[in-house]
Coordinates of all heavy atoms in Angstrom, one line a residue:
Q1 N 0.8 -1.2 0.0 CA 0.0 0.0 -0.1 C 0.8 1.3 0.0 O 0.6 2.2 -0.8 CB -0.9 0.0 1.1 CG -1.9 1.2 1.1 CD -2.9 1.1 2.2 OE1 -3.1 0.1 2.9 NE2 -3.5 2.3 2.5
F2 N 1.9 1.3 0.8 CA 2.8 2.5 0.9 C 3.5 2.7 -0.6 O 3.5 3.9 -1.0 CB 3.9 2.2 1.9 CG 4.8 3.4 2.0 CD1 4.5 4.5 2.7 CD2 6.1 3.4 1.5 CE1 5.4 5.6 2.7 CE2 7.0 4.3 1.6 CZ 6.6 5.5 2.2
K3 N 3.8 1.7 -1.2 CA 4.5 1.7 -2.5 C 3.4 2.3 -3.5 O 3.7 3.2 -4.3 CB 5.0 0.5 -3.0 CG 5.7 0.6 -4.4 CD 6.3 -0.7 -4.8 CE 6.9 -0.4 -6.2 NZ 7.2 -1.6 -6.9
Q4 N 2.2 1.9 -3.3 CA 1.1 2.5 -4.3 C 0.9 3.9 -4.0 O 0.8 4.7 -5.0 CB -0.1 1.7 -4.0 CG -1.2 1.9 -5.0 CD -2.4 0.9 -4.8 OE1 -2.6 0.6 -3.7 NE2 -3.0 0.6 -5.8
E5 N 1.0 4.4 -2.8 CA 0.8 5.8 -2.4 C 2.0 6.5 -3.0 O 1.8 7.6 -3.4 CB 0.8 5.9 -0.9 CG -0.4 5.4 -0.3 CD -0.4 5.5 1.3 OE1 0.5 6.2 1.9 OE2 -1.2 4.8 2.0
M6 N 3.2 6.0 -2.9 CA 4.3 6.6 -3.5 C 4.3 6.9 -5.0 O 4.5 7.9 -5.5 CB 5.7 6.0 -3.1 CG 6.0 6.1 -1.7 SD 6.3 7.9 -1.1 CE 4.8 8.2 0.0
S7 N 3.6 5.8 -5.7 CA 3.5 5.8 -7.1 C 2.5 6.9 -7.4 O 2.8 7.6 -8.5 CB 2.9 4.5 -7.6 OG 3.9 3.5 -7.4
V8 N 1.5 7.1 -6.7 CA 0.5 8.2 -6.9 C 1.2 9.5 -6.8 O 1.0 10.4 -7.5 CB -0.6 8.0 -5.9 CG1 -1.6 9.3 -6.0 CG2 -1.5 6.8 -6.4
Q9 N 2.0 9.6 -5.7 CA 2.7 11.0 -5.5 C 3.7 11.3 -6.6 O 3.8 12.4 -7.0 CB 3.5 11.0 -4.1 CG 2.5 11.2 -2.9 CD 3.3 11.3 -1.6 OE1 4.5 11.7 -1.6 NE2 2.6 11.2 -0.6
I10 N 4.4 10.2 -7.1 CA 5.3 10.4 -8.2 C 4.6 10.8 -9.4 O 5.1 11.8 -10.2 CB 6.1 9.2 -8.5 CG1 7.1 8.9 -7.3 CG2 6.8 9.2 -9.9 CD1 7.8 7.4 -7.4
A11 N 3.5 10.3 -9.8 CA 2.6 10.7 -10.9 C 2.2 12.2 -10.8 O 2.2 12.9 -11.8 CB 1.4 9.7 -11.0
E12 N 1.6 12.5 -9.6 CA 1.3 13.9 -9.4 C 2.5 14.8 -9.5 O 2.3 15.9 -10.1 CB 0.7 14.0 -8.1 CG -0.6 13.4 -7.9 CD -1.2 13.4 -6.5 OE1 -0.6 14.1 -5.5 OE2 -2.3 12.7 -6.2
A13 N 3.6 14.5 -9.1 CA 4.8 15.2 -9.2 C 5.2 15.4 -10.6 O 5.6 16.5 -11.0 CB 6.0 14.6 -8.4
E14 N 5.1 14.4 -11.4 CA 5.4 14.4 -12.8 C 4.5 15.5 -13.5 O 4.9 16.3 -14.3 CB 5.3 13.1 -13.5 CG 6.5 12.1 -13.0 CD 6.4 10.7 -13.5 OE1 5.3 10.4 -14.0 OE2 7.4 10.1 -13.6
K15 N 3.2 15.5 -13.2 CA 2.3 16.4 -13.8 C 2.7 17.8 -13.4 O 2.6 18.8 -14.3 CB 0.9 16.1 -13.4 CG 0.3 14.8 -13.9 CD -1.1 14.5 -13.3 CE -1.7 13.2 -13.8 NZ -3.0 12.9 -13.1
K16 N 3.0 18.0 -12.1 CA 3.3 19.3 -11.8 C 4.6 19.9 -12.3 O 4.8 21.1 -12.6 CB 3.4 19.4 -10.1 CG 1.9 19.3 -9.5 CD 2.0 19.3 -8.1 CE 0.7 19.2 -7.4 NZ 0.8 19.1 -5.9
L17 N 5.6 18.9 -12.6 CA 6.8 19.2 -13.1 C 6.7 19.6 -14.5 O 7.2 20.7 -14.9 CB 7.7 18.0 -13.0 CG 9.2 18.2 -13.4 CD1 9.8 19.3 -12.7 CD2 10.1 16.9 -13.2
V18 N 5.7 18.9 -15.2 CA 5.6 19.4 -16.6 C 5.0 20.8 -16.7 O 5.4 21.7 -17.5 CB 4.5 18.4 -17.3 CG1 4.0 19.0 -18.6 CG2 5.2 17.1 -17.6
E19 N 4.0 21.1 -15.7 CA 3.5 22.5 -15.6 C 4.6 23.6 -15.3 O 4.6 24.6 -15.8 CB 2.4 22.5 -14.5 CG 1.7 23.8 -14.2 CD 0.7 23.7 -13.1 OE1 0.2 22.7 -12.8 OE2 0.4 24.8 -12.5
L20 N 5.4 23.2 -14.4 CA 6.6 24.1 -14.0 C 7.5 24.3 -15.2 O 7.9 25.4 -15.4 CB 7.4 23.5 -12.9 CG 8.5 24.2 -12.4 CD1 8.1 25.6 -11.9 CD2 9.2 23.5 -11.2
K21 N 7.8 23.3 -15.9 CA 8.7 23.4 -17.0 C 7.9 24.3 -18.1 O 8.7 25.2 -18.8 CB 9.0 22.1 -17.7 CG 10.0 21.3 -16.9 CD 10.3 19.9 -17.5 CE 11.3 19.2 -16.7 NZ 11.6 17.8 -17.3
K22 N 6.7 24.2 -18.4 CA 6.0 25.1 -19.3 C 6.0 26.5 -18.8 O 6.3 27.5 -19.7 CB 4.4 24.6 -19.4 CG 4.4 23.4 -20.3 CD 2.8 23.0 -20.4 CE 2.7 21.7 -21.2 NZ 1.2 21.3 -21.3
E23 N 5.8 26.8 -17.6 CA 5.9 28.2 -17.1 C 7.2 28.7 -17.2 O 7.3 29.9 -17.5 CB 5.5 28.1 -15.5 CG 4.0 27.9 -15.2 CD 3.7 28.1 -13.8 OE1 4.6 28.5 -13.0 OE2 2.7 27.6 -13.4
A24 N 8.3 27.9 -16.9 CA 9.7 28.3 -17.1 C 10.0 28.8 -18.4 O 10.5 29.8 -18.7 CB 10.6 27.3 -16.6
Q25 N 9.5 28.0 -19.5 CA 9.7 28.3 -20.8 C 8.9 29.6 -21.4 O 9.5 30.5 -22.1 CB 9.3 27.2 -21.8 CG 10.3 26.0 -21.7 CD 9.8 24.8 -22.6 OE1 8.7 24.7 -22.9 NE2 10.8 24.0 -22.9
T26 N 7.7 29.6 -20.8 CA 6.9 30.8 -21.2 C 7.4 32.1 -20.6 O 7.4 33.1 -21.3 CB 5.4 30.5 -20.7 OG1 4.9 29.3 -21.3 CG2 4.6 31.7 -21.1
Q27 N 7.7 32.0 -19.3 CA 8.3 33.2 -18.7 C 9.8 33.5 -18.9 O 10.2 34.5 -18.5 CB 8.1 33.2 -17.2 CG 6.6 32.9 -16.9 CD 6.2 32.7 -15.3 OE1 7.3 32.6 -14.6 NE2 5.1 32.5 -15.0
G28 N 10.5 32.5 -19.4 CA 11.9 32.6 -19.6 C 12.6 32.7 -18.3 O 13.6 33.5 -18.2
S29 N 12.1 32.1 -17.2 CA 12.6 32.1 -15.9 C 13.7 31.0 -15.7 O 13.4 29.8 -15.7 CB 11.5 31.8 -15.0 OG 12.0 31.8 -13.7
A30 N 14.9 31.5 -15.6 CA 16.1 30.7 -15.3 C 15.9 30.0 -13.8 O 16.4 28.9 -13.7 CB 17.3 31.5 -15.3
T31 N 15.3 30.7 -12.9 CA 15.0 30.2 -11.6 C 14.2 29.0 -11.7 O 14.5 28.0 -11.0 CB 14.5 31.3 -10.7 OG1 15.4 32.5 -10.7 CG2 14.4 30.8 -9.3
K32 N 13.0 29.2 -12.4 CA 12.2 28.0 -12.5 C 12.8 26.8 -13.2 O 12.5 25.7 -12.8 CB 10.9 28.5 -13.1 CG 10.0 29.3 -12.2 CD 8.6 29.4 -12.7 CE 7.8 30.1 -11.6 NZ 6.4 30.1 -11.9
E33 N 13.6 27.1 -14.2 CA 14.3 26.0 -14.9 C 15.2 25.3 -14.0 O 15.3 24.1 -14.0 CB 15.0 26.5 -16.1 CG 14.2 27.0 -17.2 CD 14.9 27.5 -18.5 OE1 16.0 27.0 -18.7 OE2 14.3 28.4 -19.2
K34 N 15.9 26.0 -13.2 CA 16.8 25.5 -12.1 C 16.0 24.6 -11.1 O 16.5 23.4 -10.9 CB 17.7 26.4 -11.4 CG 18.7 26.0 -10.4 CD 19.4 27.0 -9.7 CE 20.3 26.4 -8.6 NZ 20.8 27.4 -7.7
L35 N 14.9 25.2 -10.7 CA 14.1 24.4 -9.7 C 13.5 23.1 -10.4 O 13.5 22.1 -9.7 CB 12.9 25.3 -9.2 CG 13.3 26.2 -8.1 CD1 12.1 27.2 -7.9 CD2 13.5 25.4 -6.8
A36 N 13.2 23.2 -11.6 CA 12.6 22.1 -12.4 C 13.6 20.9 -12.5 O 13.3 19.8 -12.3 CB 12.2 22.6 -13.8
K37 N 14.9 21.3 -12.6 CA 16.0 20.4 -12.7 C 16.2 19.7 -11.4 O 16.3 18.5 -11.2 CB 17.3 21.0 -13.2 CG 17.3 21.3 -14.7 CD 18.5 21.9 -15.2 CE 18.4 22.3 -16.6 NZ 19.6 23.1 -17.1
E38 N 16.2 20.5 -10.2 CA 16.4 19.9 -8.8 C 15.3 19.1 -8.5 O 15.4 18.0 -8.0 CB 16.3 21.1 -7.9 CG 17.6 21.9 -7.9 CD 17.5 23.2 -7.0 OE1 16.6 23.2 -6.2 OE2 18.5 24.0 -7.2
I39 N 14.0 19.4 -9.0 CA 12.8 18.6 -8.7 C 12.9 17.2 -9.6 O 12.5 16.2 -9.1 CB 11.5 19.4 -9.0 CG1 11.3 20.5 -8.0 CG2 10.3 18.5 -9.0 CD1 10.3 21.5 -8.4
E40 N 13.4 17.4 -10.7 CA 13.5 16.1 -11.5 C 14.5 15.1 -10.9 O 14.1 14.0 -10.8 CB 14.1 16.6 -13.0 CG 14.2 15.3 -13.8 CD 12.8 15.0 -14.4 OE1 11.9 15.7 -14.7 OE2 12.7 13.7 -14.7
V41 N 15.6 15.7 -10.3 CA 16.5 14.8 -9.6 C 15.8 14.0 -8.4 O 16.0 13.0 -8.2 CB 17.8 15.7 -9.2 CG1 18.6 14.8 -8.2 CG2 18.6 16.0 -10.4
L42 N 15.1 14.9 -7.7 CA 14.4 14.4 -6.4 C 13.4 13.4 -6.9 O 13.2 12.2 -6.2 CB 13.7 15.5 -5.6 CG 14.4 16.2 -4.6 CD1 13.6 17.3 -4.1 CD2 14.8 15.2 -3.5
K43 N 12.6 13.6 -7.9 CA 11.6 12.6 -8.5 C 12.3 11.3 -8.9 O 11.7 10.3 -8.5 CB 10.9 13.2 -9.7 CG 9.8 12.3 -10.2 CD 9.2 12.9 -11.5 CE 10.2 13.0 -12.6 NZ 10.2 12.2 -13.7
E44 N 13.4 11.4 -9.6 CA 14.1 10.2 -10.0 C 14.5 9.4 -8.7 O 14.5 8.2 -8.7 CB 15.3 10.5 -11.0 CG 14.7 10.9 -12.2 CD 13.8 10.0 -13.0 OE1 14.0 8.7 -12.9 OE2 12.8 10.4 -13.5
S45 N 15.0 10.1 -7.7 CA 15.6 9.5 -6.5 C 14.4 8.8 -5.8 O 14.6 7.7 -5.3 CB 16.2 10.7 -5.6 OG 16.5 10.1 -4.3
L46 N 13.2 9.4 -5.8 CA 12.0 8.8 -5.1 C 11.7 7.5 -5.9 O 11.3 6.5 -5.3 CB 10.9 9.8 -5.1 CG 9.6 9.4 -4.4 CD1 9.9 9.0 -3.0 CD2 8.6 10.5 -4.5
K47 N 11.7 7.6 -7.2 CA 11.3 6.4 -8.0 C 12.4 5.3 -7.6 O 12.0 4.1 -7.6 CB 11.5 6.6 -9.5 CG 10.3 7.4 -10.1 CD 10.5 7.5 -11.6 CE 9.3 7.9 -12.4 NZ 9.5 8.2 -13.7
K48 N 13.6 5.6 -7.6 CA 14.6 4.5 -7.3 C 14.5 4.0 -5.9 O 14.6 2.8 -5.8 CB 16.0 5.2 -7.4 CG 17.1 4.3 -7.2 CD 18.6 5.0 -7.4 CE 19.7 4.1 -7.0 NZ 20.9 4.7 -7.1
Q49 N 14.3 4.9 -5.0 CA 14.0 4.4 -3.7 C 12.8 3.4 -3.4 O 12.8 2.5 -2.7 CB 13.9 5.6 -2.6 CG 15.2 6.3 -2.4 CD 15.0 7.6 -1.5 OE1 14.0 7.7 -1.0 NE2 16.0 8.4 -1.4
T50 N 11.8 3.9 -4.1 CA 10.5 3.1 -4.2 C 10.7 1.6 -4.8 O 10.3 0.7 -4.1 CB 9.4 3.7 -4.9 OG1 9.2 5.1 -4.2 CG2 8.0 3.0 -4.8
A51 N 11.5 1.6 -5.9 CA 11.9 0.3 -6.5 C 12.7 -0.5 -5.6 O 12.6 -1.7 -5.5 CB 12.5 0.6 -7.8
E52 N 13.6 0.2 -4.9 CA 14.5 -0.6 -4.0 C 13.7 -1.2 -2.7 O 14.2 -2.3 -2.2 CB 15.6 0.4 -3.4 CG 16.7 0.7 -4.4 CD 17.7 1.6 -3.9 OE1 17.6 2.1 -2.7 OE2 18.6 2.1 -4.7
M53 N 12.6 -0.6 -2.3 CA 11.8 -1.2 -1.3 C 11.4 -2.6 -1.5 O 11.3 -3.4 -0.5 CB 10.6 -0.2 -1.1 CG 11.0 1.1 -0.3 SD 9.5 2.1 0.0 CE 8.9 1.2 1.5
E54 N 11.2 -2.9 -2.8 CA 10.8 -4.3 -3.0 C 11.8 -5.3 -2.7 O 11.5 -6.5 -2.4 CB 10.4 -4.4 -4.6 CG 9.2 -3.7 -5.0 CD 8.8 -3.8 -6.4 OE1 9.6 -4.5 -7.2 OE2 7.9 -3.2 -6.9
K55 N 13.1 -4.9 -2.9 CA 14.2 -5.8 -2.7 C 14.6 -5.9 -1.2 O 15.3 -6.9 -0.8 CB 15.4 -5.3 -3.5 CG 15.2 -5.2 -5.0 CD 16.3 -4.5 -5.6 CE 16.0 -4.3 -7.1 NZ 17.0 -3.4 -7.8
E56 N 14.1 -5.0 -0.4 CA 14.6 -5.0 1.0 C 13.8 -6.0 1.9 O 12.7 -6.2 1.6 CB 14.4 -3.6 1.6 CG 15.3 -2.6 1.0 CD 16.8 -2.7 1.3 OE1 17.1 -3.2 2.4 OE2 17.6 -2.5 0.4
G57 N 14.4 -6.4 2.9 CA 13.8 -7.4 3.8 C 13.0 -6.5 4.7 O 13.0 -5.3 4.8
E58 N 12.3 -7.2 5.6 CA 11.3 -6.5 6.5 C 12.0 -5.6 7.5 O 11.4 -4.6 7.8 CB 10.4 -7.6 7.1 CG 9.1 -7.2 7.6 CD 8.3 -8.2 8.1 OE1 8.0 -9.2 7.4 OE2 7.6 -8.0 9.2
S59 N 13.1 -6.0 7.9 CA 13.7 -5.2 8.9 C 14.3 -3.9 8.3 O 14.2 -2.9 9.0 CB 14.9 -6.0 9.6 OG 15.9 -6.3 8.5
S60 N 14.7 -3.8 7.1 CA 15.1 -2.6 6.5 C 13.9 -1.9 6.0 O 14.0 -0.5 5.7 CB 16.1 -3.0 5.3 OG 17.2 -3.7 5.8
W61 N 12.8 -2.4 5.8 CA 11.6 -1.8 5.2 C 11.2 -0.6 5.9 O 10.9 0.5 5.4 CB 10.5 -2.9 5.1 CG 9.5 -2.4 4.1 CD1 9.4 -2.4 2.8 CD2 8.2 -1.6 4.4 NE1 8.4 -1.9 2.2 CE2 7.6 -1.3 3.2 CE3 7.8 -1.0 5.6 CZ2 6.5 -0.6 3.1 CZ3 6.5 -0.4 5.5 CH2 5.9 -0.3 4.2
T62 N 11.1 -0.6 7.3 CA 10.7 0.5 8.1 C 11.7 1.7 7.8 O 11.2 2.9 7.7 CB 10.7 0.1 9.5 OG1 9.8 -1.0 9.7 CG2 10.2 1.2 10.4
R63 N 12.9 1.4 7.9 CA 14.0 2.5 7.6 C 13.8 3.1 6.2 O 13.9 4.2 6.1 CB 15.3 1.9 7.9 CG 16.5 2.9 8.0 CD 17.8 2.4 8.3 NE 18.3 1.4 7.2 CZ 18.5 0.1 7.4 NH1 18.3 -0.4 8.6 NH2 18.8 -0.6 6.4
M64 N 13.6 2.2 5.3 CA 13.5 2.7 3.9 C 12.2 3.6 3.7 O 12.2 4.5 3.1 CB 13.3 1.4 3.0 CG 14.7 0.7 2.7 SD 15.8 1.4 1.5 CE 14.7 1.6 0.0
K65 N 11.2 3.1 4.4 CA 9.9 3.8 4.3 C 10.1 5.3 4.9 O 9.6 6.2 4.2 CB 8.7 3.1 5.2 CG 7.5 3.6 5.1 CD 6.4 2.8 5.9 CE 5.1 3.5 6.0 NZ 4.2 2.7 6.8
S66 N 10.8 5.4 5.9 CA 10.9 6.8 6.4 C 11.8 7.5 5.4 O 11.4 8.8 5.2 CB 11.8 6.6 7.9 OG 12.1 7.9 8.2
R67 N 12.7 6.9 4.8 CA 13.6 7.8 3.9 C 12.9 8.1 2.6 O 12.9 9.3 2.2 CB 14.8 7.0 3.6 CG 16.0 7.7 2.8 CD 17.2 6.9 2.7 NE 16.9 6.0 1.6 CZ 17.6 4.8 1.3 NH1 18.8 4.6 2.0 NH2 17.4 4.0 0.3
V68 N 12.1 7.2 2.2 CA 11.3 7.4 0.9 C 10.2 8.6 1.3 O 10.0 9.5 0.5 CB 10.5 6.1 0.5 CG1 9.5 6.5 -0.6 CG2 11.6 5.2 -0.1
A69 N 9.6 8.5 2.4 CA 8.6 9.6 2.8 C 9.3 10.8 2.9 O 8.6 11.9 2.5 CB 7.9 9.1 4.1
Q70 N 10.4 10.9 3.4 CA 11.2 12.2 3.5 C 11.5 12.7 2.2 O 11.3 13.9 1.9 CB 12.5 11.9 4.3 CG 13.2 13.3 4.6 CD 14.5 13.0 5.4 OE1 15.0 11.9 5.5 NE2 14.9 14.0 6.1
T71 N 11.9 11.9 1.2 CA 12.2 12.4 -0.1 C 10.9 12.9 -0.7 O 10.9 13.9 -1.5 CB 12.8 11.3 -0.9 OG1 14.0 10.8 -0.3 CG2 13.1 11.7 -2.4
A72 N 9.7 12.2 -0.5 CA 8.5 12.6 -1.1 C 8.0 13.9 -0.7 O 7.6 14.9 -1.4 CB 7.4 11.6 -0.9
D73 N 8.3 14.1 0.7 CA 8.0 15.5 1.2 C 8.9 16.6 0.6 O 8.3 17.6 0.4 CB 8.2 15.4 2.8 CG 7.1 14.6 3.5 OD1 6.0 14.3 3.0 OD2 7.4 14.3 4.6
Q74 N 10.2 16.3 0.6 CA 11.1 17.4 -0.2 C 10.6 17.7 -1.5 O 10.5 18.8 -1.9 CB 12.5 16.8 -0.1 CG 13.1 16.9 1.2 CD 14.5 16.1 1.1 OE1 14.9 15.4 0.1 NE2 15.2 16.4 2.1
L75 N 10.2 16.7 -2.3 CA 9.8 16.8 -3.6 C 8.5 17.7 -3.7 O 8.4 18.7 -4.5 CB 9.5 15.4 -4.2 CG 8.9 15.4 -5.6 CD1 9.9 16.0 -6.7 CD2 8.5 14.0 -6.1
N76 N 7.5 17.4 -2.8 CA 6.3 18.2 -2.8 C 6.4 19.6 -2.3 O 5.9 20.5 -2.9 CB 5.2 17.4 -1.9 CG 4.6 16.2 -2.5 OD1 4.5 16.2 -3.8 ND2 4.4 15.2 -1.8
Q77 N 7.3 19.8 -1.4 CA 7.7 21.1 -0.9 C 8.3 22.0 -2.0 O 7.9 23.1 -2.2 CB 8.6 21.2 0.3 CG 7.9 20.6 1.6 CD 8.8 20.5 2.8 OE1 10.1 20.6 2.7 NE2 8.3 20.0 3.8
K78 N 9.3 21.3 -2.7 CA 9.9 22.2 -3.8 C 8.9 22.5 -4.9 O 8.9 23.5 -5.5 CB 11.1 21.3 -4.3 CG 12.4 21.5 -3.5 CD 13.6 21.0 -4.3 CE 14.8 21.3 -3.4 NZ 15.4 22.6 -3.7
L79 N 8.0 21.5 -5.2 CA 7.1 21.8 -6.3 C 6.1 22.9 -5.8 O 5.8 23.7 -6.7 CB 6.3 20.4 -6.5 CG 6.9 19.5 -7.6 CD1 6.1 18.2 -7.5 CD2 6.9 20.1 -8.9
Q80 N 5.6 22.8 -4.6 CA 4.7 23.8 -4.2 C 5.3 25.2 -4.3 O 4.8 26.1 -4.7 CB 4.2 23.5 -2.8 CG 3.4 22.3 -2.7 CD 2.0 22.3 -3.6 OE1 1.4 23.3 -3.7 NE2 1.7 21.3 -4.2
K81 N 6.5 25.2 -3.8 CA 7.3 26.6 -3.7 C 7.6 27.1 -5.2 O 7.3 28.3 -5.5 CB 8.6 26.4 -3.0 CG 9.5 27.7 -3.0 CD 10.8 27.5 -2.4 CE 11.6 28.8 -2.5 NZ 12.9 28.5 -2.0
A82 N 7.9 26.2 -6.1 CA 8.2 26.6 -7.4 C 7.0 27.1 -8.2 O 7.0 28.0 -9.0 CB 8.8 25.4 -8.2
L83 N 5.8 26.3 -8.0 CA 4.6 26.8 -8.7 C 4.1 28.0 -8.1 O 3.3 28.7 -8.8 CB 3.6 25.6 -8.6 CG 4.0 24.4 -9.4 CD1 3.1 23.3 -9.1 CD2 3.9 24.7 -10.8
K84 N 4.4 28.4 -6.9 CA 3.8 29.6 -6.3 C 4.7 30.9 -6.8 O 4.1 32.1 -6.9 CB 4.0 29.6 -4.7 CG 2.9 28.8 -4.1 CD 2.9 28.8 -2.7 CE 1.9 27.8 -2.1 NZ 2.0 27.9 -0.6
E85 N 5.9 30.7 -7.2 CA 6.7 31.8 -7.6 C 6.4 32.3 -9.0 O 5.9 31.7 -9.8 CB 8.2 31.3 -7.7 CG 8.6 31.2 -6.2 CD 10.2 30.7 -6.2 OE1 10.9 30.5 -7.2 OE2 10.7 30.7 -5.1

């Protein structure tokens, strides 16, 4: 279930990232372009961490879950900030 929630968050982040990239191109904003690149890196990191969760044993899963959730939070915060600017 957690992995499914992360997949939904990644999909939402991808949609917002597309929106951000369009805004950056339309406005010619170097700041938004830079943020879009940072967000892309975070999104890919989240995808990788989510995929690694399948390989981890139960004891490592709780630790991984916390790390993945933290990355998801960072991703969402950056997206919200970037879209408000």
